[in-house]
Amino acid sequence: MTTVCSAPGKIYLFGEHAVVYGEPAIACAVELRTRVKVKSSTKMSISSDIGTTGLDFEIHPYVSSAIQKMGTPEISVEISSQIPVGSGLGSSAAVTVATLAAINIECGMCYEKEKIAQMAHDIEKEVQGAASPTDTFVSTFGGVIEIPSRKKLDLLECGLVIGNTGKGASPKKTANLVKQVALLKETYPDSINPIIKTIGSFAKHGQVIVAQKKYDELGKLMNINHGLLDALGVCTLELSALVYASRNAGAYGAKLTGAGGGGCMVALTDSQEVVALAIEKTGGRAIITTFTKEGVLQE
Ligand code: MEV
């Protein structure tokens, strides 16, 4: 038997960094998926863009940890992904969730989705040293999710363009940026705390505006959120260049997504081709995509 499961990547509509201090955020699954094919075999093997290995905690740490955690007999695992690796779009969460789900079905284990999300979060923590549960939760359940309540909001029926600066985001970089914001907050609490609170307010307003499908209003708040992330010092010239190019091309709004310091930005728009072209002309790699309600699924 063979089982194929796929799991989506994610973006933050609002609230990264502020969420670390208990403020609400909105994270959304996007229709960029990692597919994992699992079948029983005589030999353990893991194949991806970076090569074929056995259980290998250096080259395929997430998949090897997932296999180990599930205690499976010999299997072969084939990975293909539409999510750029190390760009803040949750690629490691997606490959972990999809691998666990495919093994779960192929080997007749009956874990619920909650358990898959929990195991995937544990694996991310083991591999990276620290990880927020947001990526693995959103990749497992899909949709538009308010954090930390995990309330599912209405699906956004608006187009999305992701702009990748090509400058890597990484767990280590994320940890450094989180530390950098913490230091700023500690040094200037009266200046920084209101910024964090204001970022939290976007998720509160956002919940209402998402339900009203007022994408121009959402865009305005995304623009303010981007400005405040810049104020916190996590933006880069390249990210802002892509953000401004998207806005000038008519996007409702645009902001960096994730920890910043490189990685990706997102633009909310119904003119995806025009915005994508503007991003490419400004030196970014554009990915046209949509929001998705589908989390991990069997294909
Ligand atoms: C990183 O994707 C998002 C941050 O808010 C960190 C976190 O929530 O763990 C910067």
Side-chain angles (χ1 to χ4, degrees):
M1 210 177 93
T2 300
T3 305
V4 181
C5 284
S6 73
K10 71 101 205 17
I11 59 126
Y12 272 98
L13 193 62
F14 299 116
E16 51 273 88
H17 285 286
V19 75
V20 172
Y21 301 99
E23 292 297 327
I26 297 179
C28 315
V30 294
E31 199 45 56
L32 294 174
R33 307 186 77 85
T34 296
R35 286 188 173 73
V36 175
K37 189 201 269 187
V38 168
K39 62 176 182 218
S40 54
S41 168
T42 51
K43 190 168 150 241
M44 202 66 99
S45 80
I46 307 170
S47 307
S48 71
D49 277 355
I50 44 177
T52 300
T53 66
L55 267 198
D56 187 321
F57 294 86
E58 294 282 315
I59 295 176
H60 290 122
Y62 298 98
V63 174
S64 298
S65 299
I67 294 171
Q68 193 181 52
K69 209 169 214 50
M70 296 293 265
T72 51
E74 308 292 283
I75 51 170
S76 83
V77 180
E78 280 172 43
I79 304 148
S80 62
S81 186
Q82 301 168 323
I83 310 171
V85 173
S87 57
L89 299 176
S91 62
S92 57
V95 76
T96 311
V97 167
T99 304
L100 290 170
I103 293 173
N104 192 36
I105 296 169
E106 179 70 17
C107 298
M109 301 167 177
C110 297
Y111 291 122
E112 301 285 339
K113 274 190 177 181
E114 276 293 344
K115 181 74 182 165
I116 299 277
Q118 179 59 54
M119 283 193 288
H121 180 220
D122 291 343
I123 289 168
E124 280 216 312
K125 276 190 295 192
E126 279 159 30
V127 174
Q128 294 165 195
S132 101
T134 302
D135 290 15
T136 39
F137 186 86
V138 172
S139 191
T140 306
F141 290 98
V144 177
I145 311 268
E146 205 242 13
I147 309 289
S149 70
R150 298 186 165 181
K151 187 168 119 192
K152 218 167 194 178
L153 309 182
D154 288 351
L155 190 71
L156 292 159
E157 286 156 8
C158 181
L160 188 70
V161 182
I162 294 170
N164 190 350
T165 61
K167 301 252 165 93
S170 67
K172 198 165 160 225
K173 208 167 195 177
T174 299
N176 284 339
L177 288 161
V178 168
K179 264 191 219 147
Q180 193 182 301
V181 173
L183 185 63
L184 203 60
K185 189 173 171 323
E186 228 172 85
T187 316
Y188 302 106
D190 52 340
S191 305
I192 302 301
N193 287 341
I195 297 181
I196 304 265
K197 278 260 166 270
T198 306
I199 293 179
S201 75
F202 301 135
K204 289 178 209 144
H205 295 308
Q207 282 197 55
V208 179
I209 304 172
V210 165
Q212 294 169 335
K213 303 194 190 312
K214 288 187 178 163
Y215 300 121
D216 51 344
E217 289 300 311
L218 272 186
K220 271 185 215 161
L221 294 185
M222 287 170 74
N223 291 344
I224 308 171
N225 195 160
H226 180 78
L228 294 181
L229 287 166
D230 196 4
L232 292 179
V234 300
C235 193
T236 63
L237 184 60
E238 289 89 351
L239 279 167
S240 272
L242 303 187
V243 162
Y244 277 91
S246 303
R247 290 181 198 163
N248 291 341
Y252 295 123
K255 63 180 273 295
L256 71 85
T257 179
C264 293
M265 50 69 66
V266 286
L268 198 66
T269 178
D270 282 320
S271 312
Q272 288 172 297
E273 300 288 345
V274 180
V275 170
L277 192 64
I279 287 174
E280 295 271 343
K281 273 193 180 154
T282 314
R285 272 176 267 148
I287 307 172
I288 291 179
T289 186
T290 53
F291 297 92
T292 180
K293 65 178 179 20
E294 304 292 354
V296 66
L297 48 84
Q298 185 177 10
E299 301 206 330

